[in-house]
Amino acid sequence: MEIRFKDISAEKIPADLLALPVRDKPLEEPALQRLDRRLKGKLAEQIKKSNFTAAEGSTLRYSTAGLLPAAHVLLLGMGKGSEIEADSWRKAAAQAKREAATIGAEELAFFLAPGGDPEAAVGPVVEGALLASYQFNKYRSEKRPASALRSLTLFRPGLRKNAAMDRSARLALSLAPGVFLARDLVNEPPSVTTARYLGQQAKRHCRGRGLSVEVWGRKRIQAMNLAGLLAVNRGSVEEPQFIIIRYKPARARKRVALVGKGITFDSGGLSLKPAKSMETMKLDMAGAAAIIGAMSRLPELGPTLEVTGYIPTTDNLPSGSAQKPGDVIRYLNGKTIEVLNTDAEGRLILADGLALAAREKPDCIIDLATLTGACMVALGNEVAGVFGNHQPLVDRLIRCGREAGEKLWQLPLVKEYREELKSSVADMKNIGGSYGGAITAALILQEFVGDRSWAHLDIAGPAFAEKEMATCPKGGTGFGVRTLLRFLSSY
Ligand code: BES
Ligand code: MN
Ligand code: ZN
């Protein structure tokens, strides 16, 4: 997709689809009035007839029948309010991209309406249009029409492209393939995305220009004593893998460790989930996918940080050899966990990843995991929970998430709740009481990060779209990729 910037007015720009963000009282917008004059008042008529009030998310499409250089006009409701937020731009552009697809438009022109700082709008608009172009069609016999835009032209009279606009357009263009890779990895059926497949994909997408991948199989995992991963894997016929992705630029100012939950399918193990809860459990490697997707873009972005991704991966299945409630795991840092529920498996494998990461003494550790249903109960489908033992790290992640259009909300590490993790035989059990499940899970993770600065993102809600969203079809969302890449570029 080619991105262009143009100093031109709406009634002069040629395009297949001309997208015009409009606010509160559409008929009072000068740009729209000028267009309407060229359209002989028909647009105003249509607005009145259809009761289009420019409510956020509403749209109105009108065919210009040769009266304008643009074939169709699309009004995008931006709601009221004094300032248009980044996320509204992102969603509006995504909507425009979708409308373009339905009418087969290849040249989209997007009006950077007044009321927004054009410089702030460029990034989200380009990003929204790109993200909305994702499809996962591999398993459909009737392919949905490919809907690539040939060009996206951002325009407004007097618009001058500057370095900041160029930079944000480029950033959006370089993030998108990472998001799409993460979506693909999650969307693949769970019998395709096995631990070994994940390792192969990491190798395929993360190599060259400072990136390298190492994948450990069972032997090495045993030798390294990654006891949590081995315990969860006991019910499986697939070999567990431990993936390490390294990014080493010539000069590094800091060392960051990323740890991702890579459960390729979560049946619950012997503590079996009900069928309904299993339907989407291929999503349980979304943390791993976000790390692979993000790290695959590092050579392109070139941050001056050393980044190491640690991904423990296996499926979680019941069988005659599966781990049992009551089993105890002894970890490489000496701590022991009594497994009372085999469905609380994410923390068991993350413990290995965190302990291994902490041993290398990085400046900070960030883990991403579809860890708890409790976090979804608390924050719903669009917001990830973030926990951490170092507030500046948490604040920075929240800020990068806000810029990226990925919502993070901090939840507390309530030390009083450690009581609930007391085990009668081991240092702790792997489940707490009935309440605050996202917190007790995070408290278990905290036991494995030693004295490192650490943040934990519980992405159980936003990792997977159960209904279509503006910037994403149903399925894997690639949540975390954009936040991580902004975070890594922020030093
Ligand atoms: N992978 C699930 C968490 C999850 C649930 C992610 C729904 C996305 C959507 C995790 O392994 C799990 O099963 N957690 C249990 C923990 C419980 C047994 C303490 C849960 O949340 O029910
Ligand atoms: Mn589980
Ligand atoms: Zn799980």
Side-chain angles (χ1 to χ4, degrees):
M1 184 172 87
E2 194 194 336
I3 313 288
R4 300 185 199 131
F5 296 85
K6 267 197 185 159
D7 164 9
I8 192 171
S9 65
E11 61 277 18
K12 297 221 179 83
I13 192 161
D16 297 327
L17 181 65
L18 161 57
L20 206 68
V22 290
R23 328 252 309 217
D24 201 4
K25 302 204 172 71
L27 291 168
E28 288 172 20
E29 302 239 357
L32 200 148
Q33 290 170 347
R34 278 195 298 275
L35 269 187
D36 190 43
R37 276 199 290 279
R38 299 288 293 270
L39 293 168
K40 309 197 158 116
K42 288 281 196 302
L43 185 55
E45 216 171 89
Q46 194 66 39
I47 289 174
K48 284 179 197 142
K49 223 193 300 176
S50 63
N51 267 330
F52 177 79
T53 57
E56 184 155 11
S58 62
T59 58
L60 176 78
R61 197 175 71 223
Y62 184 77
S63 166
T64 63
L67 295 171
L68 284 177
H72 299 264
V73 174
L74 175 70
L75 303 186
L76 295 162
M78 304 296 284
K80 298 177 188 166
S82 52
E83 213 178 297
I84 300 175
E85 284 172 22
D87 217 42
S88 310
W89 285 117
R90 196 177 282 108
K91 285 187 179 139
Q95 242 171 347
K97 165 66 192 72
R98 281 156 182 274
E99 290 279 340
T102 52
I103 59 170
E106 294 181 332
E107 313 263 336
L108 173 63
F110 195 98
F111 184 53
L112 290 180
D117 165 12
E119 212 170 285
V122 169
V125 167
V126 174
E127 194 169 76
L130 279 172
L131 291 178
S133 70
Y134 177 83
Q135 289 182 313
F136 187 73
N137 280 336
K138 203 169 161 185
Y139 297 98
R140 292 182 203 279
S141 52
E142 275 175 53
K143 302 284 180 235
R144 298 180 174 179
S147 66
L149 280 181
R150 232 173 333 144
S151 70
L152 169 65
T153 307
L154 308 177
F155 74 96
R156 110 188 209 180
L159 184 72
R160 288 270 168 283
K161 177 172 95 166
N162 62 27
M165 291 180 191
D166 205 44
R167 219 178 310 119
S168 18
R170 268 171 212 275
L171 179 64
L173 282 165
S174 46
L175 303 189
V179 177
F180 293 176
L181 172 56
R183 288 179 181 179
D184 278 346
L185 291 173
V186 171
N187 288 336
E188 276 295 339
S191 292
V192 175
T193 303
T194 58
R196 288 197 24 216
Y197 177 86
L198 216 52
Q200 288 159 1
Q201 292 298 307
K203 280 190 170 157
R204 178 163 157 216
H205 293 281
C206 301
R207 64 170 179 221
R209 295 201 287 163
L211 262 185
S212 62
V213 175
E214 200 180 323
V215 181
W216 297 346
R218 187 190 312 279
K219 280 251 166 60
R220 188 74 196 274
I221 292 169
Q222 280 164 343
M224 297 301 289
N225 194 17
L226 304 181
L229 180 55
L230 288 167
V232 174
N233 179 253
R234 274 176 48 194
S236 178
V237 295
E238 299 283 342
E239 187 178 346
Q241 309 275 291
F242 193 92
I243 306 168
I244 303 180
I245 311 174
R246 293 194 176 84
Y247 176 70
K248 276 194 188 183
R251 283 169 300 108
R253 278 182 283 178
K254 269 180 187 296
R255 290 163 59 232
V256 177
L258 305 175
V259 181
K261 174 175 174 181
I263 294 291
T264 58
F265 182 74
D266 184 9
S267 73
L270 285 179
S271 312
L272 198 65
K273 286 181 187 294
K276 200 78 199 149
S277 312
M278 251 185 251
E279 284 179 4
T280 57
M281 277 305 134
K282 66 176 182 180
L283 66 74
D284 218 16
M285 34 60 73
I291 291 176
I292 296 171
M295 290 195 73
S296 73
R297 304 310 296 160
L298 290 179
E300 180 81 16
L301 286 162
T304 46
L305 296 175
E306 197 177 301
V307 185
T308 311
Y310 300 85
I311 299 173
T313 174
T314 176
D315 47 15
N316 181 27
L317 290 173
S319 85
S321 58
Q323 67 170 338
K324 306 168 189 75
D327 280 347
V328 175
I329 304 173
R330 189 183 295 279
Y331 281 91
L332 57 99
N333 66 354
K335 301 208 174 180
T336 55
I337 296 187
E338 182 189 12
V339 179
L340 288 184
N341 189 321
T342 62
D343 196 12
E345 84 297 340
R347 57 203 79 182
L348 300 181
I349 66 164
L350 286 168
D352 285 325
L354 292 167
L356 216 55
R359 220 164 57 176
E360 302 296 321
K361 299 279 176 200
D363 294 292
C364 69
I365 304 177
I366 301 167
D367 77 74
L368 284 89
T370 46
L371 202 61
T372 67
C375 196
M376 299 174 76
V377 171
L379 299 175
N381 269 315
E382 296 207 16
V383 185
V386 54
F387 299 82
N389 59 7
H390 185 60
Q391 197 55 36
L393 175 61
V394 172
D395 290 339
R396 188 186 281 254
L397 282 164
I398 292 174
R399 177 162 41 80
C400 294
R402 191 178 309 121
E403 286 165 15
E406 297 184 322
K407 299 183 189 72
L408 307 182
W409 192 263
Q410 187 171 10
L411 297 173
L413 289 163
V414 184
K415 57 179 186 300
E416 287 77 5
Y417 297 174
R418 280 197 197 122
E419 286 291 310
E420 301 191 25
L421 294 169
K422 282 203 169 142
S423 157
S424 48
V425 298
D427 295 340
M428 63 196 117
K429 29 180 207 162
N430 76 330
I431 47 168
S434 318
Y435 307 117
I439 299 175
T440 43
L443 287 171
I444 294 176
L445 301 184
Q446 190 175 17
E447 295 292 319
F448 293 86
V449 299
D451 60 357
R452 296 296 93 193
S453 289
W454 157 75
H456 155 58
L457 271 57
D458 192 332
I459 60 171
F464 200 85
E466 293 192 36
K467 56 179 194 319
E468 188 177 64
M469 308 207 303
T471 50
C472 188
K474 278 190 196 181
T477 59
F479 187 96
V481 172
R482 289 181 288 143
T483 301
L484 279 180
L485 288 175
R486 279 199 160 72
F487 174 85
L488 296 171
S489 315
S490 74
Y491 285 98

